């Protein structure tokens, strides 16, 4: 059940509209179902409609006129709330609507239960699926009604009503969602032949710029060079950016003034202070300077995949601030993927990023420093060429699917209904994108090793992952796994050790295809040089540490030139 609440100045005008059955064709049989005292005159049940309507308006406005003489009446003294059931809900009786109306005015503070000085109100039913509550916001003691946060209090009461009456339980939010496009914005987009409004397009552009930036200066620079976008930044006397606003060039090309949107009106987390907090929590290294512990820069795609694979573990912990940070960083990764992916799957990835945007925010405040590794890897990915064979992208998407499943569970436990729905929608798009990106596995199967080699690797699988061996061997992707093991063995790797390492670094319980998961992991690890005896001893020592933390931390990739969007005419 959905509530819409507004305020106004004209009691007579509202009552006239609610009982109008001529101009409003959807109004049928308007009548009262409840009122403040149960005896209010009902214009819908009398022969003299005009006189009864005047009498009802006078009764409702009585206290307003009294308070006005004392200078206490609020300027917008009319409170209007409409309540509508879903199309799939059963038809409620007048008595049931009356009970619902009493509960709503009590919950919102308009007429608290057992309060003789509550405001005067009536509930009008003029359609089968909804009612309107009209009230005047002056109490019997001539004080203004205390109805702050009435939308939230009404929504909480409606959630209880839905359960008790067996109605459709509406997915409710926590007021952290991005503002929806107005009807005018949607109609304008339709006239222009666009699928999305200017607000939605600008939101996507801004989020992508955040994912690609390492500082607020670079963020504003990227926006200003994006085609079709106008940007204005506001600066402090010190020269630091204080805020920004963006607009689409559509109006400008049509000879009209641009419609500007500040970052906070696009989404709560796109204000400049919130963006700055995220960017300051991103590790960065000087350009062209190699990592101190590695002679060459690690592959940023491998780093991003490794950081993504750790997110389900973080979400299973007790630090909600860290979990929220990892979800926000994962959302940035999805924002960046369409810039890096092959053309055939970009549309699915854009839809995935757009859907998961809602799942990146909640009332929990993110501690962004916890997600530095993934954010840094994202920036490095944007400065590296797209992987030629798509293997790195497929591995990342495989990890992203499990993160989305874990995010759904995390939000479910915290009753974040809108975020759960968003994560579920994201999962569908990611699975579709992964199915297209997983083509390298098909090529791998073509190099199926001889049967004796397959049997030997089956033995390795049973020894290395005994808890999941039957599940892995029954997987249709087992041929790809044995082929990956054969290739790794030819490069000098120990297949059994690789299997253990792959199983330890990636949970198989939730994997859609454990054999495919192991194959991706083994392909990635086997691409590295074969470890020597000293390196293997160090790995064994790290694995034996009580805290289970690796001895070598992940480092970020060297920064090179960022792919720039085309410049607009400004």
């Amino acid at each position: 059940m959905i509530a819409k609440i507004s305020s106004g100045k004209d009691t007579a005008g509202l009552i006239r509209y609610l009982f109008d059955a001529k101009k409003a064709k959807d109004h049928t049989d308007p009548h009262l179902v409840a009122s403040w005292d149960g005896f209010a005159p009902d214009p819908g049940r009398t022969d003299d409609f005009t006189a009864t309507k005047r009498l009802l308006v006078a009764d409702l406005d009585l206290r307003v006129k009294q308070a006005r003489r004392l200078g206490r009446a609020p300027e917008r003294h009319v409170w209007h709330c409409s309540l509508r059931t879903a199309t799939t809900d059963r038809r409620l009786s007048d008595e049931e609507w009356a009970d619902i109306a009493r509960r709503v005015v009590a919950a919102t503070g308009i007429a608290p239960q057992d309060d003789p000085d509550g405001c005067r109100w009536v509930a009008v039913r003029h359609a089968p699926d909804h009612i309107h509550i009209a009230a005047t916001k002056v109490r019997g003691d001539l004080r203004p009604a205390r109805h702050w946060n009435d939308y939230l209090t009404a929504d909480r009461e409606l959630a209880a009503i839905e359960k008790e009456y067996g109605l459709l339980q509406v997915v409710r939010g926590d007021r952290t969602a991005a503002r929806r496009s107005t009807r005018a914005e949607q109609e304008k987009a339709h006239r222009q032949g666009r699928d999305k409004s200017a607000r939605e397009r600008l939101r996507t552009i801004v989020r992508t710029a955040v994912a690609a930036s390492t500082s607020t200066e670079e963020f504003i620079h990227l926006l200003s060079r994006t085609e079709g976008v106008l940007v204005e930044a506001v600066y402090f006397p010190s020269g630091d950016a204080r805020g920004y606003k963006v607009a689409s060039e559509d109006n400008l090309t049509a000879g009209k003034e641009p419609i500007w949107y500040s970052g906070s009106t696009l989404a709560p987390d796109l204000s400049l202070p919130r963006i700055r907090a995220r960017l300051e929590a991103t590790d960065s290294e000087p350009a062209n300077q190699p990592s101190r512990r590695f002679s060459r820069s690690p592959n940023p795609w491998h780093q991003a995949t490794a950081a993504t694979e750790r997110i389900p573990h973080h979400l299973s912990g007790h630090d909600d601030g860290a979990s929220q940070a990892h979800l926000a960083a994962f959302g940035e990764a999805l924002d960046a993927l369409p810039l890096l992916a092959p053309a055939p799957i970009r549309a699915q990835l854009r839809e995935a990023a757009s859907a998961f945007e809602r799942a990146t925010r909640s009332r929990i405040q993110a501690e962004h420093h916890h997600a530095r590794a993934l954010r840094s890897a994202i920036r490095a990915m944007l400065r590296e060429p797209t992987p030629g064979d798509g293997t790195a992208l497929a591995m990342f998407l495989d990890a992203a699917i499990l993160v989305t499943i874990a995010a759904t569970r995390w939000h479910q436990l915290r009753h974040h209904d809108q975020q759960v729905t968003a994560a579920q929608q994201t999962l569908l798009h990611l699975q579709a994108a992964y199915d297209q990106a997983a083509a390298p596995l098909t090529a791998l199967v073509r190099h199926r090793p001889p049967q004796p080699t397959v049997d030997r690797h089956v033995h390795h699988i049973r020894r290395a992952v005994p808890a999941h061996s039957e599940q892995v061997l029954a997987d249709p992707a087992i041929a790809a796994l044995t082929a990956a093991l054969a290739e790794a063995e030819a490069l000098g790797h120990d297949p059994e050790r690789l299997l253990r390492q792959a199983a330890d670094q990636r949970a198989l319980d939730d994997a859609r295809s454990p054999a495919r998961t192991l194959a991706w992991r083994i392909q990635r690890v086997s691409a590295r040089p074969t470890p020597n005896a000293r390196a293997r001893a160090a790995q064994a020592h790290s694995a034996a540490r009580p805290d289970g933390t690796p001895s070598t931390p992940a480092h970020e990739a060297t920064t090179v030139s960022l792919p720039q969007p085309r410049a607009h005419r400004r």
Side-chain angles (χ1 to χ4, degrees):
M1 187 175 291
I2 299 175
K4 292 184 178 180
I5 298 176
S6 60
S7 296
K9 301 178 181 179
D10 186 3
T11 308
L14 176 58
I15 296 301
R16 186 185 313 113
Y17 163 76
L18 295 181
F19 283 93
D20 177 24
K22 296 180 180 179
K23 294 182 180 179
K25 296 182 179 180
D26 59 335
H27 293 187
T28 59
D29 187 26
H31 60 280
L32 294 184
V33 295
S35 64
W36 73 93
D37 62 356
F39 300 101
D42 185 356
R45 293 291 185 264
T46 182
D47 295 332
D48 193 344
F49 172 79
T50 303
T52 308
K53 185 200 71 172
R54 287 200 195 102
L55 183 58
L56 176 60
V57 171
D59 287 349
L60 287 170
D61 276 344
L62 175 63
R63 292 169 177 173
V64 176
K65 293 179 179 179
Q66 293 172 342
R68 190 171 290 150
R69 296 191 192 101
L70 302 175
R72 298 180 183 177
E75 181 182 1
R76 301 181 68 84
H77 64 272
V78 179
W79 187 84
H80 177 206
C81 174
S82 64
L83 304 173
R84 185 182 299 271
T85 57
T87 56
T88 56
D89 286 334
R90 64 181 177 85
R91 182 169 177 171
L92 300 177
S93 66
D94 282 356
E95 292 73 19
E96 289 173 318
W97 274 121
D99 176 61
I100 292 171
R102 293 187 190 96
R103 293 175 62 170
V104 169
V105 294
T108 55
I110 293 296
Q113 189 174 5
D114 300 327
D115 184 355
D117 288 327
C119 299
R120 294 191 168 192
W121 61 273
V122 292
V124 181
R125 183 178 189 178
H126 57 206
D129 63 344
H130 70 276
I131 64 170
H132 293 259
I133 303 174
T136 47
K137 298 189 289 185
V138 177
R139 292 166 45 82
D141 53 14
L142 302 187
R143 292 185 301 167
R146 299 175 61 89
H147 64 100
W148 293 291
N149 290 325
D150 48 11
Y151 176 79
L152 292 180
T153 53
D155 200 50
R156 283 196 292 267
E157 187 64 27
L158 291 178
I161 290 171
E162 288 167 354
K163 294 180 180 179
E164 294 178 23
Y165 279 81
L167 305 177
L168 175 69
Q169 296 184 27
V170 177
V171 176
R172 289 179 161 79
D174 53 8
R175 304 186 77 181
T176 62
R179 187 174 299 179
R180 294 181 180 179
S181 299
T182 65
R183 182 175 179 178
E185 291 171 341
Q186 293 173 349
E187 291 177 349
K188 181 178 179 180
H190 181 71
R191 291 194 302 270
Q192 295 174 339
R194 298 179 181 271
D195 295 333
K196 296 184 178 181
S197 67
R199 181 191 298 272
E200 293 171 323
R201 297 197 310 272
L202 290 170
R203 183 185 302 136
T204 300
I205 291 170
V206 171
R207 287 183 62 85
T208 304
V210 173
S213 304
T214 57
S215 65
T216 53
E217 292 77 14
E218 184 180 11
F219 164 70
I220 293 174
H221 175 69
L222 284 178
L223 281 181
S224 64
R225 297 197 60 185
T226 302
E227 185 178 10
V229 177
L230 304 175
V231 183
E232 283 192 7
V234 181
Y235 294 91
F236 289 109
S238 62
D240 295 331
R242 186 179 70 181
Y244 74 98
K245 58 182 179 180
V246 292
S248 173
E249 283 190 337
D250 294 341
N251 276 19
L252 198 63
T253 56
K256 300 178 181 179
E257 289 296 319
I259 300 175
W260 294 96
Y261 299 89
S262 65
S264 59
T265 61
L266 293 177
D269 58 341
L270 293 183
S271 66
L272 194 63
R274 300 280 289 274
I275 291 174
R276 181 181 289 111
R278 291 153 68 182
L279 296 179
E280 289 177 350
T282 303
D283 289 335
S284 61
E285 292 186 358
N288 301 322
Q289 179 174 326
S291 172
R292 291 174 294 179
R293 299 190 58 127
F294 295 97
S295 58
R296 62 185 180 89
S297 298
N299 187 318
W301 281 87
H302 295 174
Q303 287 185 303
T305 303
T308 301
E309 289 172 341
R310 292 192 291 269
I311 293 178
H313 171 73
H314 295 306
L315 295 181
S316 64
H318 301 289
D319 190 340
D320 282 358
S323 298
Q324 185 64 58
H326 286 290
L327 291 177
F330 178 66
E332 291 180 25
L334 296 184
D335 291 331
L337 280 186
L339 301 176
L340 304 165
I345 64 173
R346 286 175 190 163
Q348 289 288 359
L349 292 178
R350 289 192 190 100
E351 292 298 325
S354 177
F356 198 77
E357 181 260 349
R358 181 64 190 98
T360 60
R361 290 188 303 274
S362 71
R363 283 291 178 184
I364 299 170
Q365 185 173 356
E367 299 174 5
H368 292 293
H369 63 277
H370 288 285
R372 288 178 176 174
L374 179 56
R375 279 200 172 86
S376 299
I378 295 167
R379 274 65 175 182
M381 285 163 55
L382 290 167
R383 289 158 174 78
E384 290 286 332
T386 303
D389 59 1
T391 300
L393 174 61
M395 287 193 299
F396 182 87
L397 290 176
D398 195 30
I401 287 172
L402 285 190
V403 172
T404 309
I405 295 172
T408 303
R409 294 175 179 172
W410 189 83
H411 283 304
Q412 282 175 334
L413 291 173
R414 288 152 185 82
H415 306 289
H416 300 162
D417 295 337
Q418 288 187 354
Q419 290 87 334
V420 169
T421 302
Q424 291 170 339
Q425 293 172 347
T426 304
L427 183 61
L428 298 177
H429 296 297
L430 287 179
Q431 287 174 334
Y434 176 81
D435 290 340
Q436 297 181 60
L441 274 184
T442 304
L444 187 63
V445 174
R446 294 173 186 161
H447 303 286
R448 179 185 176 90
Q451 190 60 41
T453 306
V454 172
D455 294 339
R456 182 159 45 83
H457 290 319
V458 167
H459 179 67
H460 291 319
I461 292 170
R462 293 187 185 278
R463 286 173 53 87
V465 286
H468 301 280
S469 60
E470 296 304 322
Q471 184 183 4
V472 171
L473 295 175
D475 194 325
I478 184 62
L481 175 56
T482 55
L485 288 170
E487 284 189 357
E489 188 176 38
L491 293 173
H493 291 276
D494 182 341
E496 198 166 320
R497 180 180 290 111
L498 285 179
L499 281 165
R500 290 197 184 97
Q501 184 177 354
D504 289 343
Q505 295 182 5
R506 177 66 173 273
L508 298 178
D509 294 329
D510 293 328
R512 295 185 302 156
S513 172
R516 187 167 53 189
T517 297
L518 292 173
W520 286 132
R521 173 69 71 169
I522 287 169
Q523 274 201 318
R524 192 186 85 181
V525 176
S526 62
R528 304 170 185 169
T530 307
N532 55 30
R534 182 177 178 182
R536 287 196 295 269
Q539 290 174 359
H541 176 71
S542 175
R545 289 175 59 172
D547 57 1
T549 55
S551 57
T552 304
H555 290 269
E556 315 308 331
T558 302
T559 301
V560 294
S561 60
L562 175 69
Q564 298 286 350
R566 293 175 295 171
H568 60 68
R569 290 188 296 274
R570 286 191 66 186

